[in-house]
Amino acid sequence: MKDIILLKQGEVVLKGLNKRYFEQKLLTNVRKRLKPLGNFHVYCVQSTVYVEPEDDAADMDAAFEAMKHVFGVIALTRAAACEKNEDAIFEKAREYLREDMENAASFKVESRRSDKSFHMTSIQLSQYVGGLLAEAFPDTRVDVRHPELVVHLEVRDYAAYVHAAPVPGAGGMPVGSNGRAVTLLSGGIDSPVSSYMIARRGVKLVPLHFFSFPYTSEAAKEKVIELARLLVPACGPMCLEVAPFTHIQEEIRAKCPEEYFTLIMRRFMMRIAERVAERNSCKAIVTGENLGQVASQTMEAMAVTHCVTGLPVLQPLVGMDKEEIVRHARAIGTFETSILPYEDCCTVFTPRHPRTKPKLSEVEAAEAALDVAALVDESVNGIERIWIDLES
C-alpha cells in the first residue's frame, strides 16, 4: 500500500443538508490543484478527503505542499496505509515513524476507530501498539500527558493508517462555494490581503486593476500581475482585468475641485467594478479599505464612494490596524512584492487637502462637470484581460 495524504475538513463538517455541495466543491478544487502533479485518486469518506497516488510518477512531496494552500482544509497529514490488523499496524508504525521515534524523547499513541467492526477499542489499540513501540525504541519513554511525539492510528473503512501530528491547513471554505466577487487589486499591501481573506470564505475572485499609463509604468502593472500569481495557489486561477484609467484621472484633474479628486476617482472605480461584476456574474465588490487609514477611508468618505453601486462592498480589513495587515501579507507571501517601489494609480494627482467628511450633494455637484457614463464606457471597453494560473 502506498503513502496517502489525509485532508481534514474544517467548517464544511458543520454544514447540514447542503454539506455534500461544499464537499464536492472541495474535491473539485483538490483535483484541479493536483492535476499538474500526477495522477491521484481523490475521494471523501467520513469528512476526510483521501489523496492516493495512482502510480509512482505522482509527486507526493509537491502534492502535500500544494494541499497546505487549499481553502476548506483545516489540517493535513501524510499517512501510511496498512491492513486492519493490530500487528500490521504496529509494524507500519515502527517502519514509517522510525526516525521520529528515534529523535523524540517521549511519545504516546492516539487511536481513532471509525470502523466499529474492528475487534479492538481505540484504547486497546493504543495500549497494544504503544507497548510494542516502547519495546522497539527503549530510549523513547512513554508520556501520555506531555509527549514530544504523538503517534496517530486510524482504523477506517478501507484500511488502517499511521501518521504523526497533522500540520495546519489553510482553513476557510472551498473557493467557489460562496459565489463570485470582483476584487480591486492595486499594487499595495492591503488589496492582496483582502482578496486572500475573501477567497478564504469560499468566494471565487475576479481581480480588477486600474492602470494609468504613462503616470504608472509597465513595471507597476507587472507588479500587480505578480501579486495575482502569488494569490493563485490559494485562490485558484484568475482572469486579471486591467482597466485603463488615465483619461478618467485627467478629466477629474481638469474639471473637478482638487479636494474631491480621490473621492471622485474611487466612485469611478466602483462604477467600473460594478460593470465588470455584471459581466462576470459576480455578486459583490471587495476592497482593501481600512477605517481611518487614509482620508478617503473615513465613514463619510466610504459612504459617498459606495453609494454609486447597488452591490455589497466587502471590506475584510476594515477593523484591522496596519501591523495586522502587514503580518497577514507576510504570511501569505505578498508583502515583499507589495513594497516594491512602483507607483500606483491611487497616488496619481493626490490632493493636498482631501475632504475627510464629504457631503454627497457636494461630491455629486463636483462630479457633474464630467461625462460619467461615457468615461465609464470608455474604460470598460478598453479592459485588457490576463489569464493567470499556476503555469503562467
Side-chain angles (χ1 to χ4, degrees), residues 6 35 39 84 91 123 157 162 184 188-190 197 216 299 343 364 380:
L6 302 177
K35 190 174 181 180
N39 296 318
K84 293 193 291 184
E91 290 295 339
I123 293 176
D157 290 348
V162 176
L184 305 190
I189 296 171
D190 299 348
M197 292 179 70
T216 56
M299 281 191 278
E343 60 287 316
E364 289 176 335
V380 170

Side-chain angles (χ1 to χ4, degrees), residues 192-229:
V193 176
S194 63
S195 299
Y196 180 95
M197 292 179 70
I198 288 297
R200 191 171 182 266
R201 299 309 307 153
V203 177
K204 183 68 176 174
L205 299 177
V206 177
L208 173 61
H209 177 65
F210 297 96
F211 185 49
S212 294
F213 185 82
Y215 304 105
T216 56
S217 65
E218 286 292 332
K221 184 167 78 170
E222 287 299 321
K223 172 183 172 181
V224 173
I225 293 172
E226 178 59 23
L227 287 171
R229 286 196 189 103

Side-chain angles (χ1 to χ4, degrees), residues 33 41 149 220 227 234 246 275 280 295 367:
R33 189 66 181 84
H41 179 43
L149 171 68
L227 287 171
T246 307
R275 293 278 295 275
N280 289 276
E367 200 176 63

Side-chain angles (χ1 to χ4, degrees), residues 54 58 169 196 211 239 264-265 278 284-285 297 308 326 369-370 391:
E54 294 188 333
Y196 180 95
F211 185 49
C239 184
I264 295 173
M265 176 194 74
E278 291 170 358
I285 298 170
Q297 294 177 16
V308 298
V326 167
L370 305 171
E391 299 176 356

